[in-house]
Amino acid sequence: MKILLVDDDAELCSLLSEFLRREGFTVACEHEGTRGLEEALDPGVDLVVLDVMLPGIDGFEILRRLRQKSKVPVVMLTARGEDVDRIVGLELGADDYLPKPFNPRELAARIRAILRRYYEPRPAGPEGAPAARLEVNNVTLDPGTREVFSDGRRVELTTFEFDILEMLMRSAGRVLSRDALMENFYNRKATPFDRSIDMHISHLRKKLEHGNTLIKTIRGVGYQFCRTPQEGEQGAAEE
């Protein structure tokens, strides 16, 4: 798997490159925003580790442009304590974020968790047949084509959003805890200040819901995909 590091800290890139290569990855580095975006659009790149502060164009602008053309997984590197940076990165389509300074082993673990979800073969149905379509509350999800329709309208989702929606729909009517979602997608437990799952759920609501609530927040617990329309309810993310 090829990892692209986009960070203007040449010493950090050198250290991370050496570490990730020992972990079995192929690594490329870019230290400037415009070149970083060009390299990130290369179909040979499997995941991008993207810093926010860069010369040329910053990490947010790179991510915004990248998401117009590519669904390649992105891990954002943010300054510790800068919650706004993390939220903006997730809003723009980052898959995960890691505050600086960080342990390289933590970065490698997050990279592996995302790559497993993106690239490992998905389970098929009986005798290798494609998994059956899911239809719940006027939402149709096709695991084979990875298409989603809400009230007959096609909805464009990121890879992460699709996977979260599939997990919620397969458990429709039951509550899935934030810990269960975090462990499934990130291989780690949720923390009170980790908004990754919350932001992806927020994106799903904006794309799927038109008047009725499809995904309910069960405060202090997690999320539930509704089997029947829930009129007049607001699915606000947890505080």
Side-chain angles (χ1 to χ4, degrees):
M1 290 289 187
K2 181 177 180 179
I3 310 299
L4 173 66
L5 304 177
V6 186
D7 195 309
D8 64 344
D9 187 333
E11 183 178 358
L12 176 63
C13 281
S14 177
L15 291 171
L16 288 178
S17 295
E18 182 179 351
F19 177 80
L20 291 174
R21 288 185 180 116
R22 289 202 306 266
E23 295 291 305
F25 296 107
T26 300
V27 184
C29 294
E30 286 294 342
H31 307 302
E32 189 271 337
T34 303
R35 284 290 302 155
L37 175 60
E38 292 174 359
E39 290 299 314
L41 289 169
D42 186 325
V45 171
D46 297 298
L47 183 143
V48 180
V49 177
L50 178 62
D51 190 26
V52 172
M53 300 301 294
L54 292 165
I57 55 177
D58 66 22
F60 294 140
E61 182 61 18
I62 290 174
L63 183 57
R64 186 186 68 79
R65 297 186 194 182
L66 184 61
R67 281 293 172 257
Q68 293 174 352
K69 300 179 179 180
S70 171
K71 294 182 179 180
V72 64
V74 174
V75 176
M76 293 289 292
L77 301 180
T78 67
R80 183 173 296 278
E82 291 295 330
D83 291 339
V84 172
D85 284 357
R86 302 172 197 178
I87 292 171
V88 171
L90 291 168
E91 284 280 8
L92 291 172
D95 294 272
D96 199 0
Y97 59 79
L98 194 59
K100 291 182 173 180
F102 55 86
N103 188 318
R105 293 188 182 279
E106 174 70 8
L107 176 61
R110 296 196 183 198
I111 287 173
R112 285 199 174 91
I114 292 173
L115 290 176
R116 276 196 298 270
R117 181 171 51 78
Y118 269 74
Y119 298 112
E120 284 189 357
R122 299 171 62 84
E127 299 180 1
R133 285 161 53 118
L134 301 174
E135 296 186 22
V136 185
N137 206 348
N138 295 321
V139 175
T140 301
L141 180 147
D142 190 328
T145 62
R146 296 184 70 81
E147 291 180 314
V148 172
F149 296 87
S150 179
D151 290 324
R153 171 184 57 88
R154 181 169 177 170
V155 181
E156 291 293 334
L157 301 180
T158 66
T159 301
F160 209 140
E161 291 164 0
F162 182 96
D163 291 343
I164 292 175
L165 179 61
E166 181 177 5
M167 188 171 177
L168 288 169
M169 289 181 67
R170 290 191 184 280
S171 302
R174 295 189 287 116
V175 178
L176 290 180
S177 70
R178 292 176 78 244
D179 277 345
L181 290 165
M182 287 294 292
E183 288 178 353
N184 184 76
F185 293 108
Y186 291 116
N187 281 2
R188 66 179 188 269
K189 289 185 179 295
T191 67
F193 302 105
D194 193 332
R195 303 302 299 273
S196 304
I197 289 295
D198 303 323
M199 294 302 299
H200 290 304
I201 294 287
S202 176
H203 295 164
L204 281 171
R205 285 178 173 140
K206 290 175 183 177
K207 293 179 179 183
L208 294 174
E209 297 180 356
H210 298 276
N212 293 331
T213 297
L214 294 173
I215 303 172
K216 293 175 63 176
T217 295
I218 310 301
R219 290 194 177 276
V221 182
Y223 297 99
Q224 177 190 54
F225 193 90
C226 302
R227 285 194 171 276
T228 57
Q230 307 287 306
E231 297 182 1
E233 297 188 13
Q234 296 297 319
E238 295 178 351
E239 297 297 332

